[in-house]
Every structure is written in C-alpha cells, then in structure tokens.
Amino acid sequence: MGVVKRRLAIWGSLLALLAAGIAYALRPQPIQVDLAVAEIGLLRVTLDEEGETRVRDVYTLHAPLRGQLQRITAEVGDVVKAGETQLAQIEPAPPAFLDVRTEAELQAAVEAARAAHNLAAAELNKAKADLTFAEGERARARQLIERRTISQRTLEDAERSYHVAQANLATAEAALKVREHELHQARSRLLSRQEIRSLREDCECMPVTAPVSGVVLQVMRRSEGVVEAGTPLLDIGDPTDLEIVVNFLSEDAVRIRPGQRAIITDWGGEDLNAVVRRIEPFGQTQVSALGIEEQRVDVILDFADPTESWRSLGHGYRVDVQVILFEGEVLKLPLGALFRQGEEWAVFVAAEGRARLRPVAVSQRNSLAVEIREGLVPGERVILYPSDRIKDGAAIVER
C-alpha cells in the first residue's frame, strides 16, 4: 500500500510539473515594440521641389535687318560693354539665282529699255532739228519786221515757235536721261554674283554692338550665312544678378506667400538662404513623366546670402528648393507613431509595460514628424508603427 501511494505521489508531481511547464509556455508573451519619446524640438514644414537658376534680365540680340551674317567669333562667357563691343557684322545679301523664265523676262526688259532709249534719242534729234528751224524762222522774222514787210503778229508767232522748240528739246533731253536710267536698271537685274562682288570694293557692313553690359550667355547663330531681320543671335546678361524659378504644383503654390524664407540645397555647396519674391498669376498645363496632366505655377525666389557664397552658380543650373511654410519649437513625435481612431488621431503610450490608447490633437506636420497640440506631455514614450496585435492594455516590451 505504501508503494502505491509513493508511485502516485511521484506521478502526480511529474504531471504537476508538466502542467506548470505547459502553462508557462502558453502564457501571453509581451509584444516587442519600438518606442519614441515625445520631446520639444525644431519642426520645419517645407514644400520641396527642383528649381533652376537664371539671369534676372536676359537680353537677346537680334539681327536688325536681312543680310549676309559674317561668322560670330564671340564665345560664351566673354565680357561685353554696352554700345562698344562689336558682336556681329551684317553685309548686303547676294541676289538669288535666276531661273530660265526669270532670266528671259529680264532679258526682254533690257531689250524694251534699250528700244525706249533709242526712241528717246530719236525724239531728241527731232527736237534739235525743230529748234534749229524755229531759230532760223525767228531770225528772218526779225529782219523782215525791220523792213515792215510782215506784221507784228507774224513775228510773235515766230518767237513763240522758237520757245516751244526750246521746251521740246529740254523735254526730249530729260526723257532720254530717264530711258538711260531705266536701261541701267534693267541691266543691273541681270548682274551675276561674281559681277556684283567685283563691283563692290569694300564691305558695306552694318556692325551689331552689345545693347547692354554683361556676359555672353549663349550663341544661337555662329556660322556665316543669310539671316532674316529679327533672327536671334546671342543672349547677354549679368551672371551676378541671378534669381531662382521653381515650378510648383498649383495646389502647393497657393500655400506660398511673398516674403517666405526658403533653403537652397544640393547645388554643389553649402545650403543657401532665399526669399520668395513672386508667385506667377497664371498656371501652365504640363505632362509629368507618368503621362499625367498637371497644373504648375512658376515661383520666383531671390538669394538672401551674399553674392560670394553662390558666385559659382550660373544661368540654368539645377538646385533643390525648400520653401518654409512653418518653423518653430514644438512638442513633436515621429509621424509613424500616429494612426487613425475613427475621426481622430491616436497613439499607444507605453506605461508600466502596457500599451495605453490615447487620442491626440495634431497641428503642423512634415514627412517625418508631427506637432502634438494635446494628449501628450514631453518625455512620454509612445509605440512606433503599432501593428494590429497591439490593443489597449496589451503587454509590451521594448525591442
């Protein structure tokens, strides 16, 4: 009997130990979590976008007239002075080549002008003969009037005929000169390029000088050739007078105001300060890299730092711009600690090894942190990125 009791006691102890081990193994385990501390710190809310530097006032030099542009030797970066530095020369353009029909028409025009010239020469000879005859008639009339063999009226007729003949001679001489000029004009239309070049002694070039002082930013037309009036040749500007243009989405641009501070980053040097000067009053429809139409607005900024700090920047350089919408010392948390609880924001506060659900009121935020207006005090620790396993009152342990 004593042996049986002893065996029952041994087996009972073993079963109790086994049950205790199973219970211990199946007990609820604390959930490992990452914690963050609510603390007072600097919170900066910005709108980030790529921007581009540009010279504030760019002057484009255009060809003032149509002609043969000589090769432009100015290089990008050359310093120019207003009204003194010659940048280009334009000479009269050579005539166009003549096709067979046009050449035949011009040859016919020359022959017509030559015939008209011959006709005018014949008219001049006739006028000279008439004048000679009228002069003889006037001399005879004057002799006869002295003898009183003709009337005074006959003398006056002879005088009038003489003056008319003089006028006709002057008219014929003028007409001959007109026909000579017309013949020269018709012949000049048939001049070849080689004949025109041989007749021209010096280059009747028009110099094109810099309209403003500055630096050559771009040469759009360098090679020699015929250009039309208004053809852009060069861009001139002052590289020390830069501004920044940033193309924001319209829904972001409406949050920006003139005078707001901005930070220029990732341009190849230390961060720079800038100030918003103007928000353009019109938007532009652009297509993104994903093929989505977007409304974008240009925002213009001025550098706030001394010129020496950004002197290495030039026209058309890429920069990253952060327009500061809010900046201040606030109670903040990492954004990953918050989640939605109905219509409100909430966090899990770590207190005595347990997760405690607590609603909070938030205000300013950026991509990393958020301002806590109500619900937390500095120094409290909250759970980062809470999973669906975490409930109010769940046991937790810091990972």
Side-chain angles (χ1 to χ4, degrees):
M1 193 68 181
V3 175
V4 174
K5 289 183 178 180
R6 197 163 45 248
R7 287 179 176 177
L8 290 174
I10 292 173
W11 284 105
S13 298
L14 292 175
L15 290 173
L17 289 174
L18 180 61
I22 294 174
Y24 181 78
L26 297 178
R27 79 189 190 283
Q29 296 291 328
I31 303 172
Q32 292 185 344
V33 295
D34 294 322
L35 300 179
V37 180
E39 58 183 0
I40 301 293
L42 177 64
L43 179 66
R44 178 182 291 165
V45 181
T46 62
L47 288 175
D48 301 346
E49 190 61 74
E50 286 188 1
E52 182 179 297
T53 61
R54 69 183 185 188
V55 172
R56 192 186 308 274
D57 296 313
V58 177
Y59 295 87
T60 300
L61 185 64
H62 295 83
L65 45 76
R66 182 182 185 277
Q68 179 79 14
L69 174 70
Q70 296 186 355
R71 181 174 177 81
I72 295 178
T73 59
E75 298 291 341
V76 174
D78 288 353
V79 178
V80 298
K81 192 171 183 180
E84 295 184 8
T85 306
Q86 181 174 309
L87 297 173
Q89 279 189 331
I90 299 178
E91 61 181 347
F97 285 108
L98 299 178
D99 56 67
V100 177
R101 175 181 295 177
T102 303
E103 185 176 3
E105 290 177 351
L106 294 179
Q107 288 285 5
V110 171
E111 295 301 326
R114 184 180 291 110
H117 178 269
N118 294 336
L119 177 62
E123 293 290 341
L124 177 62
N125 292 332
K126 178 177 179 300
K128 289 180 178 179
D130 290 342
L131 178 61
T132 302
F133 178 77
E135 187 176 4
E137 288 294 318
R138 185 186 67 166
R140 283 191 294 272
R142 286 179 175 178
Q143 292 177 357
L144 293 175
I145 195 66
E146 292 177 357
R147 300 174 187 174
R148 299 182 181 274
T149 57
I150 61 173
S151 64
Q152 185 65 30
R153 175 62 182 272
T154 303
L155 177 61
E156 292 175 355
D157 289 342
E159 292 284 351
R160 181 182 61 81
S161 298
Y162 172 75
H163 291 299
V164 170
Q166 276 188 325
N168 289 338
L169 178 61
T171 302
E173 289 175 345
L176 181 60
K177 289 183 179 180
V178 171
R179 299 307 178 187
E180 287 178 352
H181 292 306
E182 289 177 351
L183 180 59
H184 287 306
Q185 184 180 22
R187 286 173 175 171
S188 65
R189 291 174 181 158
L190 284 171
L191 290 176
S192 64
R193 295 188 175 206
Q194 291 77 11
E195 291 173 332
I196 293 176
R197 190 174 292 110
S198 63
L199 292 175
R200 183 184 301 162
E201 297 179 356
D202 299 324
C203 173
E204 299 177 0
C205 297
M206 170 175 284
V208 182
T209 57
V212 294
S213 298
V215 170
V216 177
L217 301 176
Q218 183 181 8
V219 180
M220 282 88 79
R221 177 65 183 261
R222 182 177 295 280
S223 299
E224 180 178 348
V226 177
V227 294
E228 298 295 331
T231 301
L233 304 177
L234 303 99
D235 280 344
I236 302 172
D238 184 1
T240 64
D241 187 17
L242 291 181
E243 63 183 10
I244 306 165
V245 57
V246 189
N247 200 233
F248 280 104
L249 290 171
S250 59
E251 55 264 34
D252 291 334
V254 297
R255 302 168 60 189
I256 302 175
R257 297 289 182 271
Q260 285 181 325
R261 193 167 72 89
I263 300 176
I264 310 303
T265 63
D266 296 334
W267 62 276
E270 297 182 357
D271 292 352
L272 301 171
N273 295 307
V275 177
V276 176
R277 174 160 55 90
R278 184 176 72 250
I279 298 94
E280 296 290 354
F282 63 91
Q284 304 170 354
T285 301
Q286 298 183 5
V287 180
S288 68
L290 299 177
I292 301 173
E293 286 191 355
E294 300 174 339
Q295 292 300 120
R296 289 191 167 266
V297 178
D298 285 341
V299 177
I300 313 300
L301 299 91
D302 292 327
F303 287 100
D305 292 331
T307 307
E308 290 73 18
S309 60
W310 49 267
R311 185 181 296 277
S312 56
L313 285 171
H315 182 72
Y317 284 35
R318 189 199 70 83
V319 296
D320 286 342
V321 179
Q322 299 176 356
V323 178
I324 300 176
L325 301 179
F326 173 81
E327 187 176 32
E329 296 286 335
V330 298
L331 178 62
K332 64 178 184 176
L333 268 182
L335 194 60
L338 280 80
F339 59 91
R340 279 289 187 180
Q341 183 73 13
E343 296 296 327
E344 298 180 346
W345 291 100
V347 296
F348 282 115
V349 179
E352 299 178 353
R354 298 286 177 176
R356 300 301 179 186
L357 179 66
R358 186 180 300 177
V360 293
V362 302
S363 181
Q364 302 290 339
R365 75 184 74 177
N366 58 24
S367 60
L368 299 176
V370 61
E371 177 187 1
I372 304 299
R373 284 289 182 87
E374 297 178 0
L376 291 176
V377 295
E380 287 190 296
R381 302 202 303 169
V382 300
I383 299 175
L384 277 175
Y385 309 109
S387 67
D388 55 0
R389 296 174 55 200
I390 300 177
K391 308 295 182 183
D392 188 22
I396 58 173
V397 64
E398 187 173 5
R399 184 178 290 131

